[in-house]
Amino acid sequence: MEGSAEPKPSDLLSPEDFTFHYENLKYAHERRKTYLCYHLERLDGDRRVLLDSAVIQNQGSRHVEECFLFSENVLEKLKAPGSYSVTWYLSWSPCARCAQAVIRFLQQHPNVRLRILVARLYFHETRANRAALRALRRREAPIEIMSPEDFAYCWKHFVDHRGEDFQPWEDMDANVDRLAEELSGIWLSK
């Protein structure tokens, strides 16, 4: 990945916020904020050119996915002809409303490929959210559970870690496996 569009230190998550909001707990009580760390790249042959990289959070009633999708900064970068790749690292998976907004965005921007990695599944027991995740998958916006390597990557690129190495939390691996199994169940359900 070429370019120098890494987030400014003032825009990075604190280590405490990252751990609190991205910890992949089975019951993540009191995590009412959603964070989205992203990379926006232009695909130039075999090269990827980093255009933008940032951390955003929900703003009032506007969910974080909507903050990205309707960002003038992002939309301006997508005006130039070419193909683009966007990677999202979300603390929660999209809700039904946001999944529909993502689908509309991808229909309007067929030159954009979106990869979605999530720390936790948002109210995945509800029929609407399960159906929304399946709809995203059908629209080629793959959703994956963040791996320990993904958490370490986010720590390195989106957290003001001040040189400290990423320290996996207790049960991280087991929680990744459990969430991946739950997501597989969503793909198989109707």
Side-chain angles (χ1 to χ4, degrees):
M1 185 171 19
E2 297 178 18
S4 59
E6 290 289 325
K8 299 182 300 254
S10 61
D11 296 332
L12 296 172
L13 283 165
S14 72
E16 298 79 20
D17 279 343
F18 176 75
T19 301
F20 182 76
H21 289 285
Y22 277 84
E23 189 173 6
N24 58 353
L25 300 168
K26 183 173 179 111
Y27 301 105
H29 302 293
E30 299 186 22
R31 271 88 172 163
R32 290 183 176 83
K33 290 182 184 177
T34 302
Y35 284 90
L36 186 158
C37 303
Y38 73 87
H39 289 307
L40 168 60
E41 301 166 303
R42 186 179 68 247
L43 304 176
D44 187 12
D46 292 341
R47 295 179 342 157
R48 292 174 170 260
V49 179
L50 183 62
L51 300 178
D52 196 17
S53 187
V55 176
I56 54 178
Q57 67 177 329
N58 46 334
Q59 301 294 321
S61 64
R62 184 176 251 192
H63 291 191
V64 71
E65 298 90 342
E66 296 168 318
C67 293
F68 176 91
L69 297 173
F70 305 120
S71 163
E72 288 299 322
N73 179 44
V74 169
L75 294 173
E76 188 64 34
K77 287 177 174 56
L78 296 176
K79 284 184 179 178
S83 296
Y84 298 89
S85 174
V86 177
T87 304
W88 283 357
Y89 301 90
L90 281 159
S91 56
W92 287 106
S93 63
C95 68
R97 178 181 94 191
C98 290
Q100 291 306 313
V102 169
I103 289 168
R104 284 189 301 276
F105 176 86
L106 292 173
Q107 288 169 337
Q108 294 165 0
H109 299 89
N111 59 333
V112 175
R113 295 286 169 243
L114 175 62
R115 180 175 180 224
I116 303 171
L117 296 114
V118 299
R120 294 184 302 273
L121 297 170
Y122 180 76
F123 289 105
H124 64 282
E125 300 88 5
T126 66
R127 177 177 283 163
N129 286 340
R130 293 170 75 85
L133 293 177
R134 286 191 301 273
L136 275 172
R137 186 175 189 217
R138 283 192 304 275
R139 299 293 180 170
E140 297 185 22
I143 297 174
E144 302 167 42
I145 300 302
M146 288 177 67
S147 69
E149 294 78 17
D150 295 322
F151 289 113
Y153 181 87
C154 284
W155 179 268
K156 180 179 178 182
H157 293 279
F158 299 106
V159 176
D160 186 14
H161 54 73
R162 300 173 193 249
E164 294 294 320
D165 290 333
F166 176 65
Q167 298 299 316
W169 42 81
E170 186 178 342
D171 296 327
M172 175 187 282
D173 292 332
N175 289 338
V176 167
D177 293 343
R178 176 187 51 77
L179 287 161
E181 188 174 313
E182 289 176 7
L183 188 58
S184 292
I186 292 171
W187 302 150
L188 298 173
S189 66
K190 300 265 183 216

PDB file of all heavy atoms in Angstrom, residues 4-13 37-39 50 52-56 154 156-159:
ATOM      1  N   SER A   4       0.467   8.288   1.845  1.00  0.00           N
ATOM      2  CA  SER A   4       0.749   8.750   3.205  1.00  0.00           C
ATOM      3  C   SER A   4      -0.504   9.317   3.849  1.00  0.00           C
ATOM      4  O   SER A   4      -0.474  10.357   4.457  1.00  0.00           O
ATOM      5  CB  SER A   4       1.844   9.820   3.165  1.00  0.00           C
ATOM      6  OG  SER A   4       1.412  10.898   2.359  1.00  0.00           O
ATOM      7  N   ALA A   5      -1.602   8.617   3.695  1.00  0.00           N
ATOM      8  CA  ALA A   5      -2.869   9.109   4.219  1.00  0.00           C
ATOM      9  C   ALA A   5      -3.233   8.458   5.547  1.00  0.00           C
ATOM     10  O   ALA A   5      -4.388   8.246   5.843  1.00  0.00           O
ATOM     11  CB  ALA A   5      -3.973   8.868   3.189  1.00  0.00           C
ATOM     12  N   GLU A   6      -2.233   8.134   6.363  1.00  0.00           N
ATOM     13  CA  GLU A   6      -2.506   7.558   7.678  1.00  0.00           C
ATOM     14  C   GLU A   6      -3.179   8.617   8.560  1.00  0.00           C
ATOM     15  O   GLU A   6      -2.945   9.810   8.391  1.00  0.00           O
ATOM     16  CB  GLU A   6      -1.209   7.075   8.328  1.00  0.00           C
ATOM     17  CG  GLU A   6      -0.601   5.861   7.661  1.00  0.00           C
ATOM     18  CD  GLU A   6      -1.391   4.584   7.880  1.00  0.00           C
ATOM     19  OE1 GLU A   6      -1.971   4.404   8.968  1.00  0.00           O
ATOM     20  OE2 GLU A   6      -1.428   3.765   6.952  1.00  0.00           O
ATOM     21  N   PRO A   7      -3.997   8.177   9.525  1.00  0.00           N
ATOM     22  CA  PRO A   7      -4.643   9.150  10.417  1.00  0.00           C
ATOM     23  C   PRO A   7      -3.619   9.957  11.203  1.00  0.00           C
ATOM     24  O   PRO A   7      -2.553   9.453  11.556  1.00  0.00           O
ATOM     25  CB  PRO A   7      -5.467   8.270  11.366  1.00  0.00           C
ATOM     26  CG  PRO A   7      -5.565   6.938  10.712  1.00  0.00           C
ATOM     27  CD  PRO A   7      -4.369   6.804   9.832  1.00  0.00           C
ATOM     28  N   LYS A   8      -3.966  11.211  11.467  1.00  0.00           N
ATOM     29  CA  LYS A   8      -3.126  12.061  12.315  1.00  0.00           C
ATOM     30  C   LYS A   8      -3.225  11.550  13.755  1.00  0.00           C
ATOM     31  O   LYS A   8      -4.260  11.006  14.152  1.00  0.00           O
ATOM     32  CB  LYS A   8      -3.617  13.506  12.249  1.00  0.00           C
ATOM     33  CG  LYS A   8      -3.568  14.133  10.874  1.00  0.00           C
ATOM     34  CD  LYS A   8      -4.021  15.578  10.912  1.00  0.00           C
ATOM     35  CE  LYS A   8      -5.412  15.722  11.401  1.00  0.00           C
ATOM     36  NZ  LYS A   8      -6.459  16.024  10.482  1.00  0.00           N
ATOM     37  N   PRO A   9      -2.173  11.727  14.541  1.00  0.00           N
ATOM     38  CA  PRO A   9      -2.225  11.246  15.929  1.00  0.00           C
ATOM     39  C   PRO A   9      -3.449  11.732  16.695  1.00  0.00           C
ATOM     40  O   PRO A   9      -3.997  11.002  17.508  1.00  0.00           O
ATOM     41  CB  PRO A   9      -0.928  11.791  16.533  1.00  0.00           C
ATOM     42  CG  PRO A   9      -0.002  11.881  15.369  1.00  0.00           C
ATOM     43  CD  PRO A   9      -0.878  12.278  14.195  1.00  0.00           C
ATOM     44  N   SER A  10      -3.914  12.946  16.412  1.00  0.00           N
ATOM     45  CA  SER A  10      -5.086  13.463  17.124  1.00  0.00           C
ATOM     46  C   SER A  10      -6.363  12.734  16.733  1.00  0.00           C
ATOM     47  O   SER A  10      -7.365  12.816  17.440  1.00  0.00           O
ATOM     48  CB  SER A  10      -5.246  14.959  16.851  1.00  0.00           C
ATOM     49  OG  SER A  10      -5.444  15.182  15.461  1.00  0.00           O
ATOM     50  N   ASP A  11      -6.340  12.010  15.613  1.00  0.00           N
ATOM     51  CA  ASP A  11      -7.527  11.288  15.150  1.00  0.00           C
ATOM     52  C   ASP A  11      -7.514   9.814  15.535  1.00  0.00           C
ATOM     53  O   ASP A  11      -8.422   9.075  15.185  1.00  0.00           O
ATOM     54  CB  ASP A  11      -7.641  11.389  13.625  1.00  0.00           C
ATOM     55  CG  ASP A  11      -7.850  12.818  13.153  1.00  0.00           C
ATOM     56  OD1 ASP A  11      -8.425  13.620  13.923  1.00  0.00           O
ATOM     57  OD2 ASP A  11      -7.434  13.130  12.028  1.00  0.00           O
ATOM     58  N   LEU A  12      -6.473   9.381  16.216  1.00  0.00           N
ATOM     59  CA  LEU A  12      -6.353   7.975  16.582  1.00  0.00           C
ATOM     60  C   LEU A  12      -7.173   7.665  17.834  1.00  0.00           C
ATOM     61  O   LEU A  12      -7.445   8.539  18.655  1.00  0.00           O
ATOM     62  CB  LEU A  12      -4.884   7.634  16.838  1.00  0.00           C
ATOM     63  CG  LEU A  12      -3.946   7.759  15.637  1.00  0.00           C
ATOM     64  CD1 LEU A  12      -2.498   7.581  16.081  1.00  0.00           C
ATOM     65  CD2 LEU A  12      -4.308   6.760  14.559  1.00  0.00           C
ATOM     66  N   LEU A  13      -7.528   6.402  17.980  1.00  0.00           N
ATOM     67  CA  LEU A  13      -8.203   5.937  19.191  1.00  0.00           C
ATOM     68  C   LEU A  13      -7.199   5.855  20.331  1.00  0.00           C
ATOM     69  O   LEU A  13      -6.031   5.521  20.104  1.00  0.00           O
ATOM     70  CB  LEU A  13      -8.780   4.541  18.970  1.00  0.00           C
ATOM     71  CG  LEU A  13     -10.055   4.425  18.168  1.00  0.00           C
ATOM     72  CD1 LEU A  13     -10.286   2.992  17.738  1.00  0.00           C
ATOM     73  CD2 LEU A  13     -11.222   4.912  18.999  1.00  0.00           C
ATOM     74  N   CYS A  37     -12.820   2.078  11.693  1.00  0.00           N
ATOM     75  CA  CYS A  37     -11.483   2.423  11.209  1.00  0.00           C
ATOM     76  C   CYS A  37     -11.454   1.995   9.753  1.00  0.00           C
ATOM     77  O   CYS A  37     -11.934   0.909   9.421  1.00  0.00           O
ATOM     78  CB  CYS A  37     -10.417   1.666  11.996  1.00  0.00           C
ATOM     79  SG  CYS A  37     -10.455   1.935  13.777  1.00  0.00           S
ATOM     80  N   TYR A  38     -10.920   2.840   8.874  1.00  0.00           N
ATOM     81  CA  TYR A  38     -10.960   2.453   7.462  1.00  0.00           C
ATOM     82  C   TYR A  38      -9.722   2.882   6.691  1.00  0.00           C
ATOM     83  O   TYR A  38      -9.015   3.809   7.083  1.00  0.00           O
ATOM     84  CB  TYR A  38     -12.207   3.015   6.776  1.00  0.00           C
ATOM     85  CG  TYR A  38     -12.190   4.502   6.515  1.00  0.00           C
ATOM     86  CD1 TYR A  38     -11.623   5.021   5.355  1.00  0.00           C
ATOM     87  CD2 TYR A  38     -12.745   5.394   7.424  1.00  0.00           C
ATOM     88  CE1 TYR A  38     -11.611   6.390   5.113  1.00  0.00           C
ATOM     89  CE2 TYR A  38     -12.739   6.758   7.189  1.00  0.00           C
ATOM     90  CZ  TYR A  38     -12.168   7.248   6.038  1.00  0.00           C
ATOM     91  OH  TYR A  38     -12.143   8.609   5.791  1.00  0.00           O
ATOM     92  N   HIS A  39      -9.526   2.158   5.599  1.00  0.00           N
ATOM     93  CA  HIS A  39      -8.559   2.517   4.560  1.00  0.00           C
ATOM     94  C   HIS A  39      -9.338   2.623   3.259  1.00  0.00           C
ATOM     95  O   HIS A  39     -10.137   1.741   2.939  1.00  0.00           O
ATOM     96  CB  HIS A  39      -7.489   1.437   4.365  1.00  0.00           C
ATOM     97  CG  HIS A  39      -6.509   1.317   5.474  1.00  0.00           C
ATOM     98  ND1 HIS A  39      -5.784   2.381   5.971  1.00  0.00           N
ATOM     99  CD2 HIS A  39      -6.083   0.246   6.167  1.00  0.00           C
ATOM    100  CE1 HIS A  39      -4.981   1.955   6.926  1.00  0.00           C
ATOM    101  NE2 HIS A  39      -5.143   0.665   7.063  1.00  0.00           N
ATOM    102  N   LEU A  50      -2.956   4.386  -1.151  1.00  0.00           N
ATOM    103  CA  LEU A  50      -3.778   4.798  -0.017  1.00  0.00           C
ATOM    104  C   LEU A  50      -4.200   6.250  -0.194  1.00  0.00           C
ATOM    105  O   LEU A  50      -3.352   7.145  -0.281  1.00  0.00           O
ATOM    106  CB  LEU A  50      -2.996   4.626   1.289  1.00  0.00           C
ATOM    107  CG  LEU A  50      -3.745   4.948   2.572  1.00  0.00           C
ATOM    108  CD1 LEU A  50      -4.939   4.020   2.757  1.00  0.00           C
ATOM    109  CD2 LEU A  50      -2.798   4.838   3.756  1.00  0.00           C
ATOM    110  N   ASP A  52      -6.986   7.582   1.782  1.00  0.00           N
ATOM    111  CA  ASP A  52      -7.523   8.089   3.044  1.00  0.00           C
ATOM    112  C   ASP A  52      -7.532   6.958   4.057  1.00  0.00           C
ATOM    113  O   ASP A  52      -7.707   5.789   3.701  1.00  0.00           O
ATOM    114  CB  ASP A  52      -8.941   8.634   2.841  1.00  0.00           C
ATOM    115  CG  ASP A  52      -9.411   9.504   3.995  1.00  0.00           C
ATOM    116  OD1 ASP A  52      -8.566   9.965   4.788  1.00  0.00           O
ATOM    117  OD2 ASP A  52     -10.627   9.725   4.103  1.00  0.00           O
ATOM    118  N   SER A  53      -7.376   7.328   5.297  1.00  0.00           N
ATOM    119  CA  SER A  53      -7.381   6.385   6.403  1.00  0.00           C
ATOM    120  C   SER A  53      -7.804   7.174   7.624  1.00  0.00           C
ATOM    121  O   SER A  53      -7.246   8.241   7.892  1.00  0.00           O
ATOM    122  CB  SER A  53      -5.973   5.813   6.569  1.00  0.00           C
ATOM    123  OG  SER A  53      -5.958   4.791   7.506  1.00  0.00           O
ATOM    124  N   ALA A  54      -8.789   6.668   8.343  1.00  0.00           N
ATOM    125  CA  ALA A  54      -9.295   7.446   9.474  1.00  0.00           C
ATOM    126  C   ALA A  54     -10.054   6.559  10.450  1.00  0.00           C
ATOM    127  O   ALA A  54     -10.353   5.402  10.165  1.00  0.00           O
ATOM    128  CB  ALA A  54     -10.214   8.569   8.982  1.00  0.00           C
ATOM    129  N   VAL A  55     -10.373   7.163  11.580  1.00  0.00           N
ATOM    130  CA  VAL A  55     -11.221   6.562  12.603  1.00  0.00           C
ATOM    131  C   VAL A  55     -12.419   7.478  12.751  1.00  0.00           C
ATOM    132  O   VAL A  55     -12.261   8.686  12.934  1.00  0.00           O
ATOM    133  CB  VAL A  55     -10.479   6.464  13.956  1.00  0.00           C
ATOM    134  CG1 VAL A  55     -11.409   5.919  15.037  1.00  0.00           C
ATOM    135  CG2 VAL A  55      -9.216   5.636  13.832  1.00  0.00           C
ATOM    136  N   ILE A  56     -13.616   6.909  12.653  1.00  0.00           N
ATOM    137  CA  ILE A  56     -14.821   7.702  12.869  1.00  0.00           C
ATOM    138  C   ILE A  56     -15.733   6.960  13.841  1.00  0.00           C
ATOM    139  O   ILE A  56     -15.595   5.755  14.039  1.00  0.00           O
ATOM    140  CB  ILE A  56     -15.555   8.031  11.544  1.00  0.00           C
ATOM    141  CG1 ILE A  56     -15.847   6.776  10.732  1.00  0.00           C
ATOM    142  CG2 ILE A  56     -14.751   9.008  10.718  1.00  0.00           C
ATOM    143  CD1 ILE A  56     -16.612   7.027   9.438  1.00  0.00           C
ATOM    144  N   CYS A 154      -5.104  -3.087  13.510  1.00  0.00           N
ATOM    145  CA  CYS A 154      -5.804  -1.858  13.924  1.00  0.00           C
ATOM    146  C   CYS A 154      -5.022  -1.130  15.011  1.00  0.00           C
ATOM    147  O   CYS A 154      -4.915   0.095  14.990  1.00  0.00           O
ATOM    148  CB  CYS A 154      -7.212  -2.183  14.413  1.00  0.00           C
ATOM    149  SG  CYS A 154      -8.359  -2.536  13.075  1.00  0.00           S
ATOM    150  N   LYS A 156      -1.882  -1.087  15.444  1.00  0.00           N
ATOM    151  CA  LYS A 156      -0.710  -0.460  14.830  1.00  0.00           C
ATOM    152  C   LYS A 156      -1.078   0.786  14.027  1.00  0.00           C
ATOM    153  O   LYS A 156      -0.365   1.784  14.066  1.00  0.00           O
ATOM    154  CB  LYS A 156      -0.007  -1.467  13.926  1.00  0.00           C
ATOM    155  CG  LYS A 156       1.216  -0.918  13.242  1.00  0.00           C
ATOM    156  CD  LYS A 156       1.892  -1.973  12.379  1.00  0.00           C
ATOM    157  CE  LYS A 156       3.091  -1.374  11.677  1.00  0.00           C
ATOM    158  NZ  LYS A 156       3.743  -2.335  10.801  1.00  0.00           N
ATOM    159  N   HIS A 157      -2.207   0.749  13.313  1.00  0.00           N
ATOM    160  CA  HIS A 157      -2.537   1.821  12.368  1.00  0.00           C
ATOM    161  C   HIS A 157      -3.577   2.830  12.853  1.00  0.00           C
ATOM    162  O   HIS A 157      -3.650   3.930  12.296  1.00  0.00           O
ATOM    163  CB  HIS A 157      -3.009   1.212  11.045  1.00  0.00           C
ATOM    164  CG  HIS A 157      -1.919   0.487  10.332  1.00  0.00           C
ATOM    165  ND1 HIS A 157      -0.980   1.123   9.558  1.00  0.00           N
ATOM    166  CD2 HIS A 157      -1.597  -0.824  10.315  1.00  0.00           C
ATOM    167  CE1 HIS A 157      -0.139   0.240   9.076  1.00  0.00           C
ATOM    168  NE2 HIS A 157      -0.486  -0.952   9.526  1.00  0.00           N
ATOM    169  N   PHE A 158      -4.388   2.473  13.836  1.00  0.00           N
ATOM    170  CA  PHE A 158      -5.498   3.346  14.217  1.00  0.00           C
ATOM    171  C   PHE A 158      -5.529   3.716  15.701  1.00  0.00           C
ATOM    172  O   PHE A 158      -6.463   4.358  16.154  1.00  0.00           O
ATOM    173  CB  PHE A 158      -6.831   2.692  13.847  1.00  0.00           C
ATOM    174  CG  PHE A 158      -6.999   2.421  12.379  1.00  0.00           C
ATOM    175  CD1 PHE A 158      -6.915   1.131  11.882  1.00  0.00           C
ATOM    176  CD2 PHE A 158      -7.233   3.453  11.486  1.00  0.00           C
ATOM    177  CE1 PHE A 158      -7.076   0.869  10.527  1.00  0.00           C
ATOM    178  CE2 PHE A 158      -7.388   3.214  10.130  1.00  0.00           C
ATOM    179  CZ  PHE A 158      -7.307   1.915   9.649  1.00  0.00           C
ATOM    180  N   VAL A 159      -4.533   3.290  16.459  1.00  0.00           N
ATOM    181  CA  VAL A 159      -4.509   3.531  17.902  1.00  0.00           C
ATOM    182  C   VAL A 159      -3.253   4.322  18.250  1.00  0.00           C
ATOM    183  O   VAL A 159      -2.163   4.037  17.739  1.00  0.00           O
ATOM    184  CB  VAL A 159      -4.547   2.199  18.690  1.00  0.00           C
ATOM    185  CG1 VAL A 159      -4.415   2.447  20.192  1.00  0.00           C
ATOM    186  CG2 VAL A 159      -5.833   1.437  18.382  1.00  0.00           C
TER     187      VAL A 159
END
